[in-house]
Amino acid sequence: MGLFGSASDKTPLELPDALAQRVDDLLARDDYFAAIRLVRRETGAGLVVGTRAVDHRKELRDSA
């Protein structure tokens, strides 16, 4: 799938470790929408793919 993913693919975008950490930091501050904007800006992902990536990170955090 690669870094960018596609909206029709239901598999969440796999974020590089450094970006995943930055997303986790934003989620820890309850800044969900900033996390989505960051993923979209850094990866070029669209809204659906970027949101899925952030939602996946949020699920990982909540399950830990």
Side-chain angles (χ1 to χ4, degrees):
M1 176 175 71
L3 183 62
F4 298 97
S6 81
S8 63
D9 186 356
K10 301 298 182 198
T11 305
L13 180 69
E14 195 66 35
L15 301 177
D17 290 339
L19 179 56
Q21 182 59 51
R22 291 167 58 199
V23 168
D24 289 346
D25 292 345
L26 288 168
L27 290 173
R29 296 192 323 231
D30 283 335
D31 209 343
Y32 177 75
F33 297 107
I36 293 170
R37 285 191 300 270
L38 175 66
V39 168
R40 293 186 68 205
R41 183 176 60 242
E42 294 290 320
T43 65
L47 181 60
V48 172
V49 174
T51 301
R52 278 193 196 125
V54 172
D55 287 347
H56 181 67
R57 292 302 305 175
K58 192 172 187 308
E59 289 171 10
L60 291 174
R61 285 175 33 87
D62 292 347
S63 68

